[in-house]
Amino acid sequence: MYLIGDGSDSRKNATTLWKWRKVNNVNGLVILPDGCTASIDADWATLEAAGAVFLPANKSSSGRYWSSSTLASDLAWYLEFDAGDADVNCNLGRANGLAVRLVRSL
C-alpha cells in the first residue's frame, strides 16, 4: 500500500512518514504526505495544515481500512494497524465491513 510502504520504491521513505499517535484523545495512525517537512511528532494542527491524514483506531486500539486495490473479484487488500505495527499484506472478502477513508493526491 502506497501510504505506508509496500516494499516497492513507489513512495520514498514511506516507512518514516507514518506513526501511531493520539489526536484529540483518540489513538490512530498519522500519515504524512510526500515531501512533508514537518516532524511526525509535531502537534496535530501543524500536521493537518501540512496535509497529514489521521486514521482513527477502534476502541480495542487497532484499525482496519480498505485499500482501493483488489486481489480477486471477491477479495481486497486492507491496511491493519495497532500501536506496534502496520501491515499492508492483509486481504479479506469484499463483503466484510471495514472502514474507508478517502485519501488522494492534491
Side-chain angles (χ1 to χ4, degrees):
M1 178 183 281
Y2 179 82
L3 289 176
I4 67 165
D6 59 5
S8 71
D9 293 329
S10 62
R11 186 169 191 229
K12 186 178 179 185
N13 301 323
T15 57
T16 63
L17 297 175
W18 60 269
K19 185 176 183 178
W20 179 263
R21 292 276 310 270
K22 188 173 273 197
V23 173
N24 297 328
N25 288 328
V26 176
N27 287 319
L29 202 66
V30 170
I31 304 171
L32 300 180
D34 292 337
C36 184
T37 57
S39 166
I40 191 96
D41 295 313
D43 64 86
W44 175 243
T46 300
L47 295 176
E48 187 175 33
V53 172
F54 178 65
L55 302 176
N58 61 28
K59 290 187 179 191
S60 66
S61 294
S62 65
R64 288 181 169 182
Y65 286 81
W66 284 119
S67 165
S68 62
S69 303
T70 58
L71 179 62
S73 63
D74 62 338
L75 294 173
W77 295 103
Y78 69 92
L79 165 65
E80 182 169 31
F81 61 87
D82 60 27
D85 195 21
D87 187 2
V88 296
N89 295 314
C90 305
N91 64 75
L92 193 61
R94 294 172 65 181
N96 289 278
L98 298 184
V100 175
R101 171 69 160 85
L102 176 63
V103 178
R104 66 175 185 91
S105 298
L106 294 175

